[in-house]
Amino acid sequence: MASAAREQWSSRTGFVLAAVGSAVGLGNMWRFSYLAAENGGAAFVIFYVGVTLVVGLPVLLAELVVGRGAQQSPIRALQHFGGPRWKLLGGVFVAAGFLILSYYGVIAGWTVRYGLIVLTEGFGAHAADRFGEIATGWDAFGFHVLFMAVTIGIVAGGVKRGIERTAMLLMPALFVIVAGLAVYATTLHGASAGYAYYLSADVSKLLHWSVLKDAAGQAFFSLSLGMGAMLTFASYLGRDQHLPNESLIIVGADVAIAFLAGLVVFPLIFALGLEARVEASTVGALFITLPQAFAEMGGVGRVVGFAFFAALVVGALTSAISLLEVVVASAIDGLGWSRRRAALVSGTAITLLGTPSAWSTDVLGVVDQIANNLFLLGGGLALSVFVGWFMRDPVAEARAGAHGVPWFFLWRWLLRFAVPIFLIFVLWFAVPETWHAIRGLFAS
Ligand code: PHE
């Protein structure tokens, strides 16, 4: 039962900015750039945009439709439309929220730390070498705890006063900073090599399935799909909202920020001749090369570096909020807890679950793979099958607030056939690879 006092967004802009805030995050800047570097630049970008439009967009709309239709958090929403059997999928969503936020908080902690360093002391000669000291151990854990405490505080504040207000305040700032940095990057000597790398496709990579797999994982991660974050946010919407339009805005903003972030990162790296380090890419690539770049730029580097990390922190925060909200909303709806209690208890549990990731970047990388390759892609597959085949009349639900949109039949068709077939294909490769990574971790 939906409680009578369920909160709603106070404005359309509030919802859109919160949803864009969920989408835009470390995925757009940290993950997108390192995957693009690893997968031959533009080859990856092309696949990523394609998958986002053909697979991501329909799944996003499906999440919004289920969430708004049910006006409940994932477990109950799936039960509402699918009966008790589908509760399990909601449970998997909540588990994914736990898992992702546990390591996301650790990386977010790095960004806070880097931002503080660049502000207070600047990066010195050995900027690159500091990654090891910052990324693991008590240092990493401490900043993870700090970041999680802020996230918990905001989510405890409620949908309107906590989540929506934060997004309204911070998201416009993020856009301005990233756009400003992209403009600044054009002035760097040697930037053109970066653009060339980023914008011209390495055709030999274009035909490799693993690029497609990484692009699919990235599309889901970046749009916050496959674990109920968008579903939960949509559960605070009214029936007059035009969901197809909102989906397009969210996708457009997310792709735009990822693309802009690439226009910042690649010129910086190439202008300073640091590309060799990036090609040997790992989760730490950006955190190793960029501080080095900022250090070599001298005084300007401190300003630019601070702006860059500030944008990362903002993006991470608004995304972490949405991850925690999935768990918190589920605890409120399912266990009858107060919002404050739910935020504090689940947030603390997630923080502790991040401990192994805070002590080893190898563990962090594997957890990231598990979350993406198994949870998000698998969750997206299950959700598209659910909405495409099991939910009664999803089109009617989608049409509420969006009369006159002619392509709902296409949406349904994509969810029924194209999206599941594509995701099964990707999972076919992604599952063994993840299994391999897990075994590798235990073998080492
Ligand atoms: N979309 C976020 C990012 O790009 C991460 C995220 C994934 C948030 C899944 C919520 C759910 O950083």
Side-chain angles (χ1 to χ4, degrees), residues 254-336:
D254 189 50
V255 171
I257 292 285
F259 188 71
L260 274 179
L263 289 179
V264 176
V265 169
F266 288 100
L268 266 176
I269 290 172
F270 278 79
L272 293 144
L274 298 168
E275 58 270 20
R277 280 180 180 257
V278 177
E279 300 223 352
S281 183
T282 66
V283 288
L286 269 195
F287 293 95
I288 294 169
T289 41
L290 287 180
Q292 176 98 28
F294 298 140
E296 286 175 25
M297 286 160 66
V300 191
R302 289 184 65 167
V303 179
V304 173
F306 181 68
F308 184 85
F309 286 113
L312 267 178
V313 171
V314 166
L317 183 62
T318 51
S319 298
I321 288 170
S322 74
L323 284 160
L324 184 58
E325 179 62 15
V326 172
V327 182
V328 166
S330 304
I332 296 173
D333 287 352
L335 304 174

Side-chain angles (χ1 to χ4, degrees), residues 21-28 100 104 218 220-225 227 229 254 315-316 319-320 322-323 376:
S22 170
V24 172
L26 297 172
N28 301 60
I100 298 178
Y104 200 86
Q218 174 62 11
F220 272 70
F221 185 85
S222 187
L223 282 171
S224 312
L225 295 179
M227 50 78 62
D254 189 50
S319 298
S322 74
L323 284 160
L376 297 189

